[in-house]
């Protein structure tokens, strides 16, 4: 997606779990070359019950905080939706090492401008603009 | 998009329609306005005009381009009692801004030493994504002092001097900053980044005065042709981004609570006088102070790097801050509206303050000529030193443009850059560059930006600023 100042992302998934996994991958793919990241560290992320848009947003925000505060680069994502609707994400990656990783972009935040999560005939689709 | 009405050769009006509370006004030459109308940013000028308490106009400067919520290059003044404050109207990089610095060096003295000079600057100033701060891990107390006192605390830590502080907007410290309104996440993001340049469009640039337009005014700056200058463009780093993000959530809830309809969620806002509005102001001022301090620390590092690389004394270098201005900020100011002095909250997002002569907030040095406004262009062409005018006080709440303004997305710019040797292209323009990665250079090449001469000439044509001098870049470091 083209935006004059920033980076726009469009992502799809055959179901909501896949959408979240793909959204997370897109986010970190913009940050670094994911082929250089080893999935040695694992973290579990719990997403509170909200509407789909807020869940998707909270998920990305929590992952971005792991990167911005603790310097984690994440490369593998697994999202499960429990029968009670609670979402649990497992993520894998490692901490940034200057000698090993190249960082492409500093993502300031996920903006609300044109932020959208919708269910489609094929599954789910989301679009968002990152402030870089 | 409906048509614009021409008011003068440099002012275009977006008529008040629908739920707009005021009309929009865009400052631009005919050439620029023809480009601006191709961009979705005018819809954003209109959306800002919906906000409660907006006074006179939803304004846009000639470097306007598509932002999120507010356009970049937007200025909106809200009535202090009836109006709202919007974190989106300030932006993520709170107090992203520019510090212009002069030295006593002439270009001839450094022209054969640009490369080693840049290498020294690049070594000494943490640059790019993931870089560690010049002060690597701030203690809780240090961070508290920075958030409360801004640049002044940098000087107390040994970075720069009081001459610098005197020549910063608000003397480098916004009063009313309250660190208790800043989240732990924001503090965590900020504590490792004091004294870092960052990435994206942030930079440090060496240039020299190529042409002086107003010799009398230039004398006030002790500025002569060929004199070497330095520009630092950076902001409040992760701390500011997180504060904006936190308060977008708070103000979205507040907008619902106070029944404020939002044409775009990014325009989330709260009444200035509400608890939500006051806490955002307190937190935003902390980020502003962090940014003032950050530019102060970087200026000091640059001074040391110059002395080391050129083997000269502080006296020979005489590096001094000309002025330091905010690009993304909300300020409580007094302006004359319909003949009456009115307190307003001026949102400047991708715009600068440009107060005219004799304004009480100006340092003594510039009282007679007006506030310096340094407008960086792209890294290949030129930048301008301007001064604010009386007319700016009457028309734009003492505001002007902040830069060239992007006209090409990062993606498109990178695509264009792939077909060229970027280093050779910049070298042909007389510019050396050192950057952490090629991607940033590709996104920030001159073709991505408007010609800043058209931008500042539009502001001068409208009588908002006067152009004092033009500067030619010769060396840049980027993240």
């Amino acid at each position: 997606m083209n935006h004059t100042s920033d980076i726009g992302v469009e992502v799809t998934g055959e179901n909501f779990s896949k959408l979240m996994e793909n959204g997370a991958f897109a986010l970190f793919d913009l940050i670094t070359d994911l082929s250089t990241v080893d999935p040695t560290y694992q973290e579990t992320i719990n997403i509170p019950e909200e509407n789909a848009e807020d869940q998707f947003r909270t998920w990305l925000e929590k992952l971005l905080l792991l990167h911005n505060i603790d310097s984690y680069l994440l490369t593998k994502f697994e999202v499960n939706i429990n029968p009670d609707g609670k979402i649990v994400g497992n993520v894998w990656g490692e901490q940034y090492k200057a000698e090993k990783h190249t960082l492409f972009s500093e993502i300031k935040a996920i903006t609300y401008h044109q932020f959208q999560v919708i269910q489609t005939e094929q599954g789910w689709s989301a679009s968002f603009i990152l402030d870089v | 998009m409906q048509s614009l009405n021409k008011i003068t050769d440099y002012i275009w009006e977006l008529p008040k329609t629908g739920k707009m509370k005021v009309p929009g006004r865009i400052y631009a030459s005919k050439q620029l306005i023809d480009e601006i109308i191709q961009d979705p940013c005018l819809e954003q000028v209109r959306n800002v005009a919906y906000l409660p308490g907006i006074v006179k106009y939803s304004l846009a400067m000639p470097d306007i381009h598509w932002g999120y919520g507010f356009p970049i290059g937007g200025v909106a003044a809200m009535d202090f009692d009836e109006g709202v404050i919007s974190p989106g109207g300030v932006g993520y990089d709170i107090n992203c801004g520019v510090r212009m610095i002069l030295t006593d060096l002439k270009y001839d003295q450094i022209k054969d030493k640009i490369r080693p000079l840049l290498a020294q600057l690049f070594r000494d100033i943490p640059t790019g994504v993931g870089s560690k701060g010049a002060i690597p891990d701030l203690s809780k107390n240090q961070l508290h002092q920075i958030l409360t006192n801004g640049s002044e605390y940098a000087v107390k830590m040994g970075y720069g001097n009081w001459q610098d502080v005197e020549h910063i907007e608000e003397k480098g410290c916004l009063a009313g900053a309250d660190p208790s309104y800043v989240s732990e996440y924001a503090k965590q993001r900020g504590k490792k980044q004091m004294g870092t340049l960052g990435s994206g469009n942030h930079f440090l640039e060496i240039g020299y005065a190529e042409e002086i337009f107003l010799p009398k005014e230039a004398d006030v700056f002790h500025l002569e042709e060929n004199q070497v200058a330095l520009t630092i463009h950076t902001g409040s780093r992760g701390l500011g981004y997180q504060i904006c993000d936190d308060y977008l959530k708070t103000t979205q809830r507040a907008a619902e609570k106070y029944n404020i309809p939002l044409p775009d969620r990014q325009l989330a806002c709260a009444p200035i006088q509400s608890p939500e509005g006051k806490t955002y102001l307190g937190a935003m001022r902390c980020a502003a102070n962090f940014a003032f301090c950050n530019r102060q620390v970087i200026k000091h590092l640059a001074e040391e790097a110059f002395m080391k690389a050129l083997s000269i004394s502080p006296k020979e270098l005489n590096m001094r801050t000309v002025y330091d201005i905010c690009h993304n900020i909300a300020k409580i100011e007094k302006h004359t509206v319909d003949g009456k002095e009115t307190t307003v909250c001026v949102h400047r997002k991708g715009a600068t303050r440009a107060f005219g002569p004799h304004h009480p907030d100006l340092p003594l040095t510039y009282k007679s000529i007006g506030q310096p406004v340094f407008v960086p262009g792209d890294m290949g062409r030129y930048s301008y030193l301007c001064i604010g005018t009386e007319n700016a006080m009457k028309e734009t709440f003492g505001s002007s443009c902040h830069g060239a303004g992007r006209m090409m997305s990062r993606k498109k710019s990178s695509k264009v850059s792939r077909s060229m040797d970027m280093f050779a292209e910049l070298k042909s323009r007389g510019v050396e560059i050192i950057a952490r990665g090629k991607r940033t250079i590709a996104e920030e090449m001159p073709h991505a930006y408007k010609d800043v001469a058209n931008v500042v000439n539009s502001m001068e044509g409208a009588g908002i600023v006067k152009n004092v001098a033009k500067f030619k870049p010769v060396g840049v470091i980027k993240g």
Side-chain angles (χ1 to χ4, degrees):
Chain A
M1 226 162 90
N2 246 344
H3 184 274
T4 323
S5 334
D6 299 296
I7 298 173
V9 178
E10 280 176 356
V11 62
T12 57
E14 63 204 49
N15 51 45
F16 192 59
S17 302
K18 276 273 168 260
L19 180 82
M20 290 180 78
E21 291 170 8
N22 294 344
F25 190 88
L27 181 67
F28 280 89
D29 192 44
L30 287 165
I31 293 173
T32 192
D33 176 357
L34 291 180
S35 68
T36 65
V37 180
D38 293 318
T40 48
Y41 162 86
Q42 188 265 330
E43 174 83 47
T44 301
I45 314 271
N46 290 298
I47 306 294
E49 283 175 81
E50 295 162 30
N51 59 55
E53 213 167 87
D54 289 342
Q55 283 171 330
F56 184 72
R57 186 183 182 83
T58 304
W59 161 247
L60 295 183
E61 282 177 352
K62 285 193 171 193
L63 297 182
L64 200 54
L65 277 175
L66 270 177
H67 170 64
N68 283 324
I69 292 176
D70 299 315
S71 308
Y72 281 108
L73 296 169
L74 303 171
T75 185
K76 189 179 152 197
F77 310 90
E78 257 177 37
V79 175
N80 294 302
I81 303 175
N82 293 340
D84 60 3
K86 280 187 184 147
I87 295 180
V88 182
N90 285 300
V91 300
W92 289 264
E94 63 178 318
Q95 260 180 323
Y96 165 70
K97 295 179 193 79
E99 65 282 8
K100 185 177 177 189
H101 305 114
T102 303
L103 297 177
F104 302 143
S105 308
E106 180 178 42
I107 295 177
K108 293 176 191 166
I110 299 139
T111 77
Y112 288 88
H113 184 60
Q114 298 185 344
F115 184 89
Q116 201 179 42
V117 176
I118 48 168
Q119 197 160 12
T120 63
E121 278 180 19
Q122 292 77 34
W124 285 82
S125 148
S127 55
F128 52 94
I129 291 171
L130 302 168
D131 190 351
V132 292
Chain B
M1 173 56 64
Q2 74 199 66
S3 61
L4 296 168
N5 296 332
K6 183 177 174 180
I7 305 295
T8 71
D9 284 348
Y10 296 100
I11 304 175
W12 308 81
E13 187 156 299
L14 187 64
K16 183 180 151 189
T17 54
K19 289 178 183 164
M20 288 170 77
K21 295 188 169 55
V22 293
R25 278 208 168 178
I26 300 103
Y27 284 75
S29 62
K30 173 77 173 69
Q31 185 198 338
L32 282 175
I33 203 78
D34 286 343
E35 291 168 18
I36 291 167
I37 55 174
Q38 310 297 323
D39 191 87
C41 60
L42 289 184
E43 193 58 42
Q44 297 184 324
V45 175
R46 181 203 304 277
N47 287 346
V48 171
Y50 291 176
L51 295 177
I54 186 165
V55 176
K56 279 171 84 175
Y57 302 106
S58 167
L59 294 165
M61 304 296 115
D63 47 339
I64 181 177
H65 54 283
W66 189 20
Y68 22 87
F70 270 64
I72 296 162
V75 176
M78 312 304 190
D79 184 274
F80 188 58
D81 297 317
E82 311 286 329
V84 292
I85 183 159
S86 169
V90 174
Y92 284 98
D93 195 355
I94 297 166
N95 190 8
C96 177
V98 155
R99 177 175 298 212
M100 194 222 168
I101 294 158
L102 273 178
T103 71
D104 275 358
L105 300 173
K106 288 294 177 78
Y107 177 52
D108 279 352
Q109 291 172 267
I110 63 160
K111 71 176 180 193
D112 299 326
K113 299 168 186 161
I114 300 296
R115 200 75 201 166
L117 195 45
L118 286 181
Q120 191 69 53
L121 287 163
F122 197 71
R123 263 196 298 275
D124 295 352
I125 298 170
T127 302
V129 197
S131 59
K132 287 203 175 92
I135 310 167
D137 205 356
L138 294 170
S139 72
K140 225 174 177 177
N141 180 51
Q142 281 178 313
L143 186 61
H144 184 91
Q145 292 289 339
I146 288 166
L147 301 186
T148 314
N149 299 315
S151 293
E152 184 188 307
Y153 189 65
V155 175
K156 283 185 181 162
M157 286 191 291
Y159 295 90
N161 56 55
W162 296 107
Q163 185 277 345
D164 297 320
V165 174
E166 188 60 30
H167 296 95
I168 305 175
E169 188 170 333
E170 302 290 340
K171 293 191 164 85
C173 176
L174 285 189
D178 188 337
S180 71
Y181 297 152
V182 177
S183 73
E184 273 313 306
Y185 282 145
K187 288 175 182 168
Q188 289 289 327
R189 285 181 79 169
K191 75 174 194 173
K192 293 175 188 163
Q193 293 186 322
M194 177 46 62
T196 59
L197 197 57
S199 63
N201 63 355
H202 294 151
F203 63 81
L204 184 147
E205 184 177 287
I206 306 169
Y208 67 91
E210 190 178 40
E211 194 178 351
I212 288 175
F213 307 112
L214 299 175
K216 263 192 191 169
E217 284 76 0
D219 278 350
V220 174
F221 298 101
H222 304 288
L223 173 65
E224 294 170 4
E225 269 183 19
N226 295 318
Q227 200 166 328
V228 173
L230 207 65
T231 318
I232 298 165
H233 179 226
T234 188
S236 51
R237 314 287 288 110
L239 180 114
Y241 315 156
Q242 192 62 42
I243 288 174
C244 178
D245 209 33
D246 292 340
Y247 280 92
L248 277 167
K249 291 183 181 70
T250 309
T251 49
Q252 277 183 26
R253 289 191 295 271
E256 244 173 71
K257 179 175 155 189
Y258 301 107
N259 294 317
I260 303 168
L262 299 175
D264 180 336
R265 282 169 80 188
Q266 197 74 28
L267 284 176
C269 56
I272 299 165
Q273 300 298 344
S274 68
E276 295 88 345
K278 286 177 182 168
T279 49
Y280 170 64
L281 256 177
M284 183 213 69
R285 287 164 172 159
C286 288
N289 292 343
F290 186 94
F292 283 136
C293 188
N294 192 29
R295 293 195 287 273
Q296 180 66 32
V297 171
I298 292 173
K299 184 257 173 183
H300 176 77
L301 298 175
E303 191 173 7
E304 304 254 289
F306 258 71
M307 289 191 294
K308 217 183 290 177
L310 302 174
S311 301
I312 54 172
S313 68
K315 204 177 164 193
E316 286 168 292
L317 179 61
N318 192 19
M319 190 180 268
R320 56 206 185 265
T321 297
V322 171
Y323 209 60
D324 181 313
I325 43 176
C326 314
H327 286 170
N328 290 349
I329 201 79
K331 303 270 289 283
I332 310 301
E333 295 172 359
K334 284 187 172 32
H335 288 275
T336 305
V337 178
D338 301 327
K340 216 174 90 187
E341 189 180 74
T342 309
T343 304
V344 286
C345 175
V346 186
H347 295 70
R348 298 188 180 95
K349 185 181 180 186
T352 65
R353 202 183 73 172
F355 282 177
H358 311 299
H359 193 283
D361 288 353
L362 294 184
L364 202 57
T365 333
Y366 305 128
K367 275 269 197 290
S368 63
I369 59 166
Q371 185 204 301
V373 179
F374 190 75
V375 187
D378 62 74
M379 58 183 167
R381 279 179 271 200
Y382 27 65
S383 300
Y384 282 80
L385 174 62
C386 310
I387 43 175
T389 64
E390 267 305 320
N391 201 40
M393 303 313 293
K394 289 179 196 151
E395 289 191 18
T396 60
F397 298 96
S399 311
S400 188
C401 60
H402 84 309
R406 213 169 233 290
M407 62 174 189
M408 209 181 263
S409 72
R410 291 171 199 274
K411 198 175 158 187
K412 196 170 171 192
S413 175
S414 297
K415 206 174 163 187
V416 175
S417 299
R418 273 202 289 274
S419 64
M420 63 172 76
D421 178 342
M422 296 185 296
F423 294 96
E425 166 67 20
L426 287 170
K427 194 138 194 160
S428 73
R429 294 167 180 258
V431 181
E432 295 269 4
I433 185 164
I434 299 184
R436 186 73 55 194
K438 274 190 180 173
R439 187 182 279 210
T440 312
I441 306 177
E443 290 173 354
E444 294 290 323
M445 284 295 280
H447 55 245
Y449 287 90
K450 298 177 193 179
D451 182 344
V452 75
N454 292 338
V455 173
V456 289
N457 289 339
S458 292
M459 292 317 285
E460 190 175 53
I464 302 300
V465 296
K466 289 182 194 167
N467 298 340
V468 177
K470 185 164 85 170
F471 289 79
K472 163 91 186 69
V474 292
V476 184
I477 66 165
K478 288 187 77 72

